[in-house]
Amino acid sequence: MTQHNFLRRSADTAPLSRPEPRIARWAAPATLAALLLAACGSTPLPPWPSTPTAQQRSAPAPLPRVQQGTVVPAPLGQQTPSQLPPQRAAVVASPLPPSAPLLVRDEAPMAPPYGDAVAARFPNPSVVYSTPGLGADRRAFTTNAELGQWLRGLSDGVPRGGTRTQLLQIGTSQRGEPIQGLLLTRAAGTDPASLDKSGRPTVVLIGQQHGDEPAGSEALLVISRELAQGLLEPLLDRINVVVVPRANPDGAEVGTRVTVNGVDLNRDHLLLNTPEARAIAQVINDYRPILVVDAHEYTVVGRYLQKFNAIQRYDALLQYTTTANYPEFLTKASQEWFHQPMVAALKAQGLTSDWYYTTSTNLQDKRISMGGTQPDTGRNVHGLKNTVSLLIETRGVGIGRMHIQRRVHAQVTAITSALRTAAERAANLEQVRSFVARDVSALACRDQVVIEAEATPTQRDLDFLDPETGADRSIRVDWNSSLTLRNTKVRARPCGYWLSAEASGAVERLRQLGIQVMRVAEPGSVLAESYRETARETGNRQDVIGTIAGGGDIVRVQVSAVRSAIDAPAGSFYVPLNQPRANLAVAALEPDTQNSYFANHLIQDLGQSARVMAVPSLVFEETD
């Protein structure tokens, strides 16, 4: 190893985004105090934008009506595709070029799980959406081959009217199926650097992490078409968009929730055990979105009928990031700028909505819980990467193709609302992200950090449908609210974490999460807190539904922290917390949580990690 390019650098300066390999020596402690005080002083809060800024007032003309909460002009429902103007026909016309017929898996239609009185509550929308999987006589949803053909039909190497589209090969599923996406932009190029130079923030839209939830995937095909050459294209004056319609092609092929090896993909975003989760993580790292939208569907009958003799009534259930250490300003942006307009947009289309909630598979447990607080779902992990991260769930699991046009309409309406907000608030969102990145970085070595938090138990009246009459039926339920978290475990925030050379597997996952990790180039010592085990048990990872599929056995430990000087040999690692994704590192490296890398065997021994409690004076090699 050749040592070169020696630099003095405070541990509380923001790290470089993509550093070249080099050796860096931390500033000596005597000279560091002033730097530390300057860097860790209170980061001034930006004013919360409640009125248009000068930049907003000089922004492009108001967005077309479709971006203001109405998906298509009202007369569309009374028109046939041949009668529509060319631009608006995109909503109902398939872009698939002529080709040989595709093999489509035939599915027998399922018996309706409820009667006509309930079904009548969910009439079709006036607009008719057309994708390969939405044909009137179709039994199967869009295949992965058809999905790829749709995206290829929209991608074009030659810009059309300033809009560039590029087919993205994001990854490969466990069965070898391509995971594909579409980039849409008006930047000078389609590479991440060109998007950064454009000054426009990027939005990432993800569908069908769960294979038995098809409406999100079908809706994102519609959205991609409208962004490329339809009613949503004007939004590209203000934002870039990456659409990933299907993150779990293997699960979609066989109609199962999990990946082919039985893992719940949407609980794998911290551990990154599956290639599907790693592919999504790479997209987030490459394009640094300000907004991530995750399209799902929820169980309609099943355990709700068994527990409450009731049927789910809402067209859409919504939630944003609710996990420990999520920055307050991003919560505020999620609520005021995204959630509230989305609810209004759905209501304007005659669609009902509520907070996302679910219930466990234990039929004796009648508690209703909002989406979980664990840092393992896409919604929460992407949030800890300093994005606004939204979950949109439509009523679909367990009802086959029933109401599919309405389900897709709800997804398109909600996603369009999110895109519109991102476009209108682009400057504000960048301001908030810049503040949050600096603020999270400046917290290293200071105050406290939350290790675990839980939802707050309360009660509320929740509306369902009577299974016989279809009428609304209000039921008083025990409700676990994720909107207010209760901190159950808090510690002093360290300056960073030391990891032994034997923890290289964990280091690889951290880097895949976009977390900067330094390699110790010369042996030294650091003031640290080592973990001493006080209790241990084995079990499974749990969420609000029950045991997480594919999670495997975990080790749950209780620990106490013992402070001392420890050796940091050459070849070991340091994870500084003076970086924007520091809170994600906390979620992975504090060992006594169910999602930690220790609990899940990525770190094999408690002695392989420690909390560094003073800025280290070490020589590091910074590597990609």
Side-chain angles (χ1 to χ4, degrees):
M1 178 178 63
T2 302
Q3 298 184 5
H4 60 93
N5 192 19
F6 283 86
L7 299 172
R8 291 189 178 272
R9 190 158 67 90
S10 165
D12 280 279
T13 56
L16 300 175
S17 57
R18 300 285 294 184
E20 295 298 323
R22 66 182 185 276
I23 302 297
R25 187 182 301 276
W26 299 114
T31 63
L32 187 60
L35 293 173
L36 188 60
L37 288 171
C40 289
S42 278
T43 307
L45 297 177
W48 188 252
S50 56
T51 57
T53 63
Q55 182 174 354
Q56 288 175 307
R57 287 191 292 270
S58 61
L63 301 172
R65 183 168 175 248
V66 64
Q67 283 89 47
Q68 297 180 351
T70 303
V71 178
V72 291
L76 181 60
Q78 288 75 48
Q79 294 175 310
T80 64
S82 61
Q83 296 170 324
L84 293 176
Q87 185 185 41
R88 293 178 181 177
V91 176
V92 294
S94 168
L96 289 176
S99 64
L102 294 166
L103 294 177
V104 177
R105 177 173 55 90
D106 191 30
E107 296 176 344
M110 63 172 288
Y114 45 71
D116 292 343
V118 174
R121 296 292 303 270
F122 303 97
N124 281 337
S126 58
V127 59
V128 176
Y129 297 101
S130 179
T131 66
L134 294 181
D137 299 325
R138 181 77 172 235
R139 289 187 176 184
F141 291 105
T142 301
T143 67
N144 208 49
E146 290 171 326
L147 183 148
Q149 197 173 16
W150 178 285
L151 297 181
R152 284 192 298 274
L154 295 175
S155 62
D156 189 350
V158 180
R160 186 187 62 80
T163 296
R164 298 175 184 269
T165 58
Q166 180 177 325
L167 183 68
L168 302 176
Q169 301 295 337
I170 290 167
T172 305
S173 75
Q174 294 167 55
R175 282 186 172 166
E177 286 291 319
I179 303 172
Q180 297 179 312
L182 187 70
L183 168 65
L184 303 107
T185 183
R186 288 187 173 171
T190 56
D191 58 296
S194 295
L195 268 59
D196 283 344
K197 290 178 183 177
S198 75
R200 302 179 182 96
T202 297
V203 174
V204 171
L205 310 174
I206 301 170
Q208 213 164 2
Q209 289 201 61
H210 294 143
D212 60 347
E213 302 173 8
S217 181
E218 304 293 343
L220 287 178
L221 294 182
V222 174
I223 291 289
S224 63
R225 172 75 175 193
E226 291 306 305
L227 285 165
Q229 50 194 239
L231 291 168
L232 298 180
E233 191 176 6
L235 294 178
L236 299 178
D237 286 334
R238 306 182 189 182
I239 56 175
N240 313 301
V241 182
V242 174
V243 184
V244 184
R246 180 171 293 156
N248 181 9
D250 297 342
E253 170 61 25
V254 295
T256 60
R257 175 181 174 90
V258 296
T259 60
V260 71
N261 65 340
V263 171
D264 187 329
L265 174 57
N266 198 36
R267 304 297 184 274
D268 191 36
H269 292 287
L270 184 66
L271 299 175
L272 300 180
N273 285 325
T274 61
E276 293 89 350
R278 293 193 291 272
I280 294 173
Q282 190 62 54
V283 168
I284 303 302
N285 290 343
D286 287 346
Y287 294 102
R288 300 191 314 108
I290 193 65
L291 168 67
V292 180
V293 178
D294 197 4
H296 286 254
E297 295 201 271
Y298 69 84
T299 298
V300 177
V301 187
R303 55 191 182 272
Y304 294 95
L305 190 61
Q306 294 170 299
K307 290 185 181 185
F308 305 104
N309 189 32
I311 292 172
Q312 296 268 52
R313 80 178 287 270
Y314 295 103
D315 288 295
L317 300 178
L318 313 172
Q319 193 167 333
Y320 44 77
T321 300
T322 51
T323 194
N325 306 310
Y326 187 55
E328 179 184 0
F329 264 37
L330 287 173
T331 297
K332 191 174 178 68
S334 301
Q335 168 64 22
E336 295 184 14
W337 294 348
F338 288 93
H339 179 80
Q340 292 174 5
M342 191 177 291
V343 169
L346 289 163
K347 184 177 181 180
Q349 291 294 308
L351 299 166
T352 56
S353 66
D354 203 325
W355 293 110
Y356 173 68
Y357 60 83
T358 187
T359 187
S360 76
T361 55
N362 177 2
L363 298 184
Q364 305 308 312
D365 178 9
K366 294 190 176 182
R367 290 174 298 176
I368 299 287
S369 300
M370 291 184 64
T373 64
Q374 296 289 337
D376 58 356
T377 61
R379 171 175 56 86
N380 286 338
V381 170
H382 298 148
L384 291 180
K385 295 178 181 180
N386 299 326
T387 74
V388 172
S389 183
L390 306 177
L391 173 70
I392 301 169
E393 299 245 5
T394 47
R395 59 187 315 274
V397 176
I399 62 174
R401 295 180 67 86
M402 290 183 70
H403 318 300
I404 187 58
Q405 286 286 334
R406 187 179 180 98
R407 287 150 59 186
V408 170
H409 186 55
Q411 288 281 358
V412 170
T413 301
I415 294 168
T416 297
S417 173
L419 290 171
R420 173 183 177 267
T421 294
E424 290 185 337
R425 290 285 187 177
N428 297 149
L429 288 166
E430 288 289 17
Q431 180 188 23
V432 168
R433 173 158 63 179
S434 177
F435 163 74
V436 165
R438 295 193 310 270
D439 192 51
V440 170
S441 299
L443 290 174
C445 311
R446 300 177 59 222
D447 302 329
Q448 293 184 313
V449 65
V450 179
I451 308 303
E452 281 190 310
E454 295 179 350
T456 299
T458 182
Q459 288 188 325
R460 64 164 290 191
D461 294 320
L462 193 58
D463 288 337
F464 292 92
L465 298 180
D466 185 281
E468 300 298 329
T469 67
D472 286 354
R473 179 145 62 84
S474 181
I475 300 176
R476 188 76 171 175
V477 298
D478 292 324
W479 174 267
N480 290 326
S481 174
S482 300
L483 299 178
T484 304
L485 300 185
R486 297 181 302 140
N487 296 337
T488 58
K489 191 178 297 182
V490 178
R491 295 193 177 110
R493 182 183 288 264
C495 302
Y497 294 90
W498 171 83
L499 298 175
S500 73
E502 289 75 22
S504 58
V507 168
E508 179 185 6
R509 300 294 172 87
L510 291 169
R511 286 174 173 155
Q512 289 169 345
L513 288 171
I515 295 171
Q516 186 183 45
V517 182
M518 317 281 288
R519 182 183 288 116
V520 177
E522 297 178 1
S525 64
V526 295
L527 179 64
E529 288 183 344
S530 302
Y531 298 107
R532 176 178 296 171
E533 182 178 324
T534 59
R536 173 184 291 239
E537 61 182 0
T538 59
N540 301 105
R541 290 170 63 208
Q542 303 285 318
D543 61 14
V544 294
I545 299 177
T547 298
I548 294 174
D553 291 337
I554 64 170
V555 178
R556 288 300 306 260
V557 294
Q558 299 299 321
V559 299
S560 61
V562 180
R563 185 169 295 201
S564 64
I566 65 170
D567 292 332
S572 60
F573 300 95
Y574 180 62
V575 183
L577 289 195
N578 62 310
Q579 59 177 306
R581 296 186 181 182
N583 290 327
L584 202 54
V586 173
L589 295 178
E590 291 290 341
D592 48 337
T593 71
Q594 71 163 12
N595 297 297
S596 74
Y597 283 6
F598 174 78
N600 291 274
H601 312 290
L602 290 169
I603 294 176
Q604 299 297 326
D605 187 273
L606 285 176
Q608 293 178 0
S609 66
R611 314 175 81 242
V612 177
M613 304 308 294
V615 177
S617 182
L618 292 170
V619 178
F620 294 104
E621 179 187 25
E622 218 169 27
T623 60
D624 289 336

